[in-house]
Amino acid sequence: MPAYVIVDAEVLDMERAGAYRTLAEPSVRRYGGRYLIEGAVPEAAEGSWPASRIVAVVEFPDMARLKEWYTSPEYTKAKAVRESAIDMRLLFVEGQPA
């Protein structure tokens, strides 16, 4: 069953955020992930959403593979760069049958 990373982020430093993406994107692909939504500003249908925050959704084959990616040496390097570049919240969710 597919699993998803839902990202809520605010870019604090564009240059370092670019360095993070350079490291993160290949690590996602290496572990079977693919970006479904990348860096979009959502339209709030109800409530509010700060214009400075973006969202991304990444799909992995399953939760085990997602967690393998998240704890991988490749993504650990990306996380170290991200600390000073992006205020980020990650949510992991397993797909549910319709």
Side-chain angles (χ1 to χ4, degrees), residues 30-98:
R30 179 178 175 140
Y31 289 86
R34 68 183 183 108
Y35 286 86
L36 301 178
I37 300 169
E38 188 173 4
V41 178
E43 178 180 334
E46 294 187 25
S48 62
W49 185 269
S52 62
R53 296 195 74 84
I54 58 175
V55 297
V57 177
V58 183
E59 180 183 56
F60 283 86
D62 54 45
M63 188 62 78
R65 197 70 168 148
L66 183 159
K67 289 181 177 180
E68 186 179 359
W69 160 76
Y70 184 70
T71 60
S72 71
E74 298 89 352
Y75 190 62
T76 297
K77 289 177 188 173
K79 283 190 289 190
V81 171
R82 184 189 83 200
E83 293 297 318
S84 62
I86 305 169
D87 174 34
M88 187 178 290
R89 183 173 25 193
L90 298 180
L91 305 168
F92 298 169
V93 63
E94 214 165 25
Q96 301 296 315

Side-chain angles (χ1 to χ4, degrees), residues 20-34:
Y20 165 76
R21 278 190 298 278
T22 297
L23 294 168
E25 288 180 5
S27 75
V28 166
R29 285 191 301 276
R30 179 178 175 140
Y31 289 86
R34 68 183 183 108

